[in-house]
Amino acid sequence: MPSSRRLPPSGGIFDIATLRQRIAILDDSTQRPGFWDDPKGAQEALRERNALIARADTWDGLLGRAKDLTDYVELARESLDESFVLDLDADMQRLESDFAREETKNLLSGEADHYPAIVSIQAGAGGIDAMDWAQMLARMLTRFAERQGWRVDIIDEHPGDEAGLKSITLRITGESAYGYLKSERGVHRLVRLSPFDAAHRRHTSFASIEVAPEIDDTIDIDLKESDVEMDFFRASSAGGQHVNKTSSAVRLTHVPTGIAVVSENERSQHQNRATAWKVLRARLYERELERREEEAAKARGLQGSIAWGQQIRSYVFQPYTQVKDKRTGLEVSDVQGVMDGKLEPFIQSYLRHQLDGGEWLSGSDDD
């Protein structure tokens, strides 16, 4: 007999009828005279239409698969073929995973959610352990991106003195990369028996993750060249044949805010300069999003609950294994799976939690 696994629901947060209705409205607008009088608006409408059609087709396919599997379950109840039952159970697992992925997409509603992500990881308190932790987090996010079929490029990297990373900045490119990865911004806390302690004692380490969208020119940013200081220097990280031979690395400092960004892994100064400007625009935009979120939190009486400096997640390796999100209360015992990039449960619970108001559920450490 098949396991007690249940087929995914066809309702909930997704309303395919409403989606089809929106597609019909966009179809009608494209047929009206003067549609192309505003080329930029017309292109946006067509992009939205094509994206909605793709989503609707995907959901139609998922619902069709669910119906077929429902029929197969009835056959399995009468079947004595063990291989058929095992194949059916595997198909149901894949369908559940696909439903969860599409449900997560439906939770992405921010104006920048569909953009690539600029991810910066910084080692915090904890010495060598913290630098090792920063590298582990970089691997975790890279593995998640690889599971989605996304591209990961290193913009800037500073190795630790003995192990790990002092800091690293990544560009992650893929469908709604920022929308997914914004759930990871904040301070991450690690508790484990330190491999760098001769006495093998338990240590607590911290590292912070910043996530910003790599926006394009369709979003206005108040960024004046006169407000930016530009420095050139020789690259210090691995990045090609010109490293340490020419002053190809670029640092931009936005004087009014003090935000500084570095790009040193491109092959030329021109490329690093262009990348640094993209990162600076992303950081300034994310700063504006932070301001809006703080104002919205104050209006709801949640002042300080979404501060970026707060610890968002705790990872305990010893004396037990647990990953606990402090915002949503979600707990997962499969620490190794999380470190291998299985972040979907945390991402989905975070996005759902934001829709519900975003109040933190757990701010204390209980290990």
Side-chain angles (χ1 to χ4, degrees):
M1 288 295 297
S3 71
S4 59
R5 190 182 309 280
R6 294 185 298 113
L7 289 173
S10 59
I13 62 171
F14 184 75
D15 185 349
I16 195 168
T18 300
L19 185 57
R20 292 293 186 189
Q21 185 179 32
R22 176 60 180 166
I23 293 172
I25 293 174
L26 290 171
D27 282 340
D28 181 65
S29 70
T30 63
Q31 304 302 318
R32 293 178 182 176
F35 175 73
W36 286 103
D37 290 350
D38 177 12
K40 184 177 178 180
Q43 291 175 354
E44 283 294 322
L46 289 176
R47 275 198 291 268
E48 181 186 359
R49 173 185 176 274
N50 292 336
L52 293 178
I53 289 175
R55 287 175 61 189
D57 289 345
T58 296
W59 276 98
D60 280 338
L62 290 173
L63 295 175
R65 286 168 57 191
K67 182 180 182 303
D68 290 342
L69 282 175
T70 300
D71 295 337
Y72 292 148
V73 166
E74 294 305 317
L75 292 175
R77 295 183 189 281
E78 305 172 2
S79 174
L80 299 178
D81 187 341
E82 183 178 353
S83 63
F84 173 68
V85 174
L86 291 175
D87 288 344
L88 178 58
D89 195 61
D91 288 341
M92 294 175 72
Q93 290 185 51
R94 285 191 290 269
L95 182 60
E96 283 185 338
S97 177
D98 291 344
F99 258 97
R101 183 181 64 250
E102 294 305 317
E103 282 187 328
T104 301
K105 289 181 182 179
N106 292 330
L107 295 170
L108 301 177
S109 58
E111 65 177 350
D113 282 351
H114 63 285
Y115 285 104
I118 303 295
V119 179
S120 299
I121 303 173
Q122 179 80 39
I128 300 175
D129 279 281
M131 296 179 195
D132 189 49
W133 177 224
Q135 186 171 48
M136 292 167 66
L137 290 175
R139 179 187 179 277
M140 179 185 76
L141 295 183
T142 298
R143 291 287 293 118
F144 172 76
E146 291 171 347
R147 285 161 53 88
Q148 313 307 310
W150 297 346
R151 173 173 174 172
V152 180
D153 296 300
I154 297 175
I155 294 177
D156 180 44
E157 180 179 14
H158 294 277
D161 296 328
E162 298 181 42
L165 295 167
K166 292 180 179 177
S167 65
I168 187 170
T169 301
L170 306 170
R171 178 198 288 118
I172 301 181
T173 308
E175 182 183 358
S176 300
Y178 171 72
Y180 284 93
L181 293 173
K182 66 185 181 183
S183 66
E184 301 307 296
R185 67 188 186 197
V187 175
H188 296 244
R189 172 177 177 266
L190 170 67
V191 179
R192 65 169 177 176
L193 299 179
S194 172
F196 305 101
D197 185 336
H200 212 47
R201 291 169 296 190
R202 193 166 69 139
H203 283 233
T204 300
S205 309
F206 298 88
S208 64
I209 297 179
E210 293 183 359
V211 185
E214 185 182 282
I215 59 177
D216 57 26
D217 294 334
T218 61
I219 295 181
D220 294 327
I221 294 293
D222 184 17
L223 177 58
K224 303 181 182 67
E225 288 199 29
S226 59
D227 289 336
V228 178
E229 294 180 353
M230 187 180 308
D231 300 303
F232 303 99
F233 57 96
R234 292 188 177 184
S236 59
S237 61
Q241 62 180 347
H242 300 294
V243 171
N244 292 324
K245 294 182 180 179
T246 62
S247 297
S248 60
V250 177
R251 178 188 295 107
L252 299 180
T253 303
H254 186 246
V255 176
T257 62
I259 294 175
V261 301
V262 174
S263 178
E264 60 176 330
N265 270 37
E266 303 291 352
R267 292 178 59 85
S268 70
Q269 185 184 98
H270 175 75
Q271 290 173 314
N272 277 319
R273 184 177 184 275
T275 297
W277 277 102
K278 287 182 180 180
V279 176
L280 182 57
R281 279 174 52 82
R283 293 284 301 279
L284 288 173
Y285 179 72
E286 192 69 357
R287 185 185 181 94
E288 172 62 18
L289 289 183
E290 177 186 7
R291 184 189 65 79
R292 296 180 196 174
E293 290 183 7
E294 288 177 345
E295 289 183 353
K298 289 178 183 178
R300 297 195 302 269
L302 304 177
Q303 184 171 2
S305 66
I306 57 171
W308 287 18
Q310 288 199 26
Q311 175 189 323
I312 66 162
R313 197 175 297 153
S314 180
Y315 306 70
V316 180
F317 286 18
Q318 286 95 13
Y320 55 91
T321 58
Q322 181 189 79
V323 182
K324 182 176 182 178
D325 197 288
K326 303 296 181 176
R327 301 159 299 182
T328 67
L330 178 65
E331 298 180 9
V332 173
S333 60
D334 182 16
V335 172
Q336 189 56 55
V338 173
M339 298 312 302
D340 281 337
K342 295 180 180 179
L343 299 176
E344 291 86 351
F346 292 102
I347 291 172
Q348 190 172 73
S349 65
Y350 169 81
L351 293 174
R352 287 183 181 276
H353 189 60
Q354 291 300 103
L355 289 179
D356 293 336
E359 184 175 3
W360 285 41
L361 299 184
S362 173
S364 63
D365 299 317
D366 51 13
D367 53 76

